[in-house]
Amino acid sequence: MIKLSERLKEITTYIPKDSILADIGSDHAYLPIYCVKNKIVKKAIAGEVADGPFLAAKSSVKAYQFEQFIDVRKGDGLAVLKETDSVDCITIAGMGGALISSILDNGKEKLHQVSRLILQPNLAADQIRLWLLNHNWKLVKEKILEEDGHIYEILVAEQGDSEAPYCNDEDKEKQVFFGPFLIKEKNHVFYKKWKREYNEWLRVLEELDKAKENAAIIRKKSELKKYIQWYKEVFPDENTERA
């Protein structure tokens, strides 16, 4: 029986019913297997670039006798997709935001038929938001959750007006950084994540204040001060006892 992690199970809730799914970086192909088994998708492609996970995915799909529903392919990112696949939903989970953005950028010609992207970065979600903003993908949903001491963000996007989720130009950079939906909701996991980051910014800034200044240090200090100011704007009524 496939038992998904909470973050992967959450991802499945955003996959449209009867989709043709491409799960990029599928590892053991647990996500597409779960989706086929629970009749969420009609069929799926599990893409893997490394031999080990590719063979593991093949083995998992064979064990469930889902070969007719799930095609396991070896290749780099979206290169595993063909136009005839008619994929309309893509999931990419468990990578850094920079890598996910790079996968999307390198394979953007494969996205024309795709109606939904579900992206779960382990860090640097803002880099994905920026990519979506610059490539006419509208962010329609965000979720932040904690599992086993790790905090994850899930971004759901559809083709459309990429500017729509962002309130105004003045705060756009801050909203891309924190997430336009998450910044409105401000749940306890969101607070926990950014309180941790805030404390780290203060620590690093204190260390940099002791260092001999050069151009790189001046730039870094300016960046940290900007983030610290943003934090104070996002949490203006913060009670320090919550920290």
Side-chain angles (χ1 to χ4, degrees):
M1 175 65 69
I2 289 289
K3 188 176 187 327
L4 291 186
S5 64
E6 287 305 310
R7 68 182 173 89
L8 290 182
K9 196 178 292 183
E10 184 69 25
I11 285 170
T12 68
T13 68
Y14 306 115
I15 298 172
K17 179 78 169 166
D18 294 328
S19 293
I20 297 175
L21 173 70
D23 184 39
I24 305 302
S26 198
D27 200 9
H28 286 72
Y30 289 160
L31 178 64
I33 289 171
Y34 179 93
C35 289
V36 168
K37 189 172 179 59
N38 289 279
K39 296 181 169 49
I40 297 170
V41 304
K42 289 188 287 191
K43 57 183 179 177
I45 294 159
E48 257 303 339
V49 69
D51 285 332
F54 168 72
L55 294 173
K58 295 271 282 187
S59 177
S60 298
V61 171
K62 185 176 181 180
Y64 279 85
Q65 300 181 330
F66 280 168
E67 293 98 329
Q68 70 185 95
F69 301 108
I70 303 172
D71 190 3
V72 181
R73 298 178 186 171
K74 187 171 184 291
D76 189 4
L78 303 186
V80 299
L81 302 183
K82 307 167 192 170
E83 193 170 332
T84 52
D85 293 327
S86 300
V87 165
D88 48 22
C89 182
I90 291 176
T91 52
I92 311 177
M95 307 177 196
L99 179 54
I100 292 175
S101 299
S102 175
I103 288 171
L104 294 172
D105 204 55
N106 291 336
K108 54 182 177 285
E109 74 283 354
K110 303 286 184 80
L111 297 175
H112 300 305
Q113 296 181 5
V114 177
S115 57
R116 176 162 284 198
L117 300 173
I118 306 168
L119 313 167
Q120 183 269 294
N122 289 344
L123 70 162
D126 60 308
Q127 294 191 37
I128 296 175
R129 291 189 194 98
L130 191 58
W131 189 91
L132 296 171
L133 185 61
N134 291 333
H135 292 84
N136 299 314
W137 281 87
K138 178 183 175 183
L139 193 62
V140 296
K141 176 77 176 175
E142 295 177 303
K143 177 80 173 182
I144 188 166
L145 69 156
E146 184 174 14
E147 183 177 20
D148 298 330
H150 299 284
I151 293 175
Y152 302 101
E153 293 179 41
I154 298 169
L155 313 181
V156 183
E158 297 175 349
Q159 296 198 43
D161 180 8
S162 60
E163 298 277 350
Y166 300 97
C167 295
N168 56 59
D169 288 337
E170 185 181 343
D171 288 336
K172 189 186 294 180
E173 189 183 4
K174 182 171 70 178
Q175 292 171 68
V176 167
F177 188 72
F178 288 96
F181 295 99
L182 299 179
I183 206 171
K184 288 177 185 174
E185 182 186 3
K186 283 192 257 191
N187 69 17
H188 71 284
V189 181
F190 180 80
Y191 174 81
K192 184 174 182 178
K193 170 189 168 75
W194 291 111
K195 182 63 179 180
R196 187 186 297 167
E197 294 287 337
Y198 174 71
N199 288 334
E200 179 64 9
W201 298 333
L202 291 177
R203 185 195 67 77
V204 173
L205 188 58
E206 187 177 347
E207 290 299 314
L208 290 177
D209 281 338
K210 299 173 187 174
K212 184 177 180 181
E213 282 203 337
N214 57 38
I217 286 177
I218 290 170
R219 279 195 304 271
K220 186 63 178 176
K221 285 171 69 173
S222 175
E223 179 184 69
L224 290 170
K225 286 175 182 177
K226 177 174 67 175
Y227 295 160
I228 289 165
Q229 180 58 37
W230 281 351
Y231 178 88
K232 291 175 179 178
E233 291 167 2
V234 172
F235 302 104
D237 302 318
E238 181 190 34
N239 182 344
T240 54
E241 291 180 0
R242 289 171 62 191

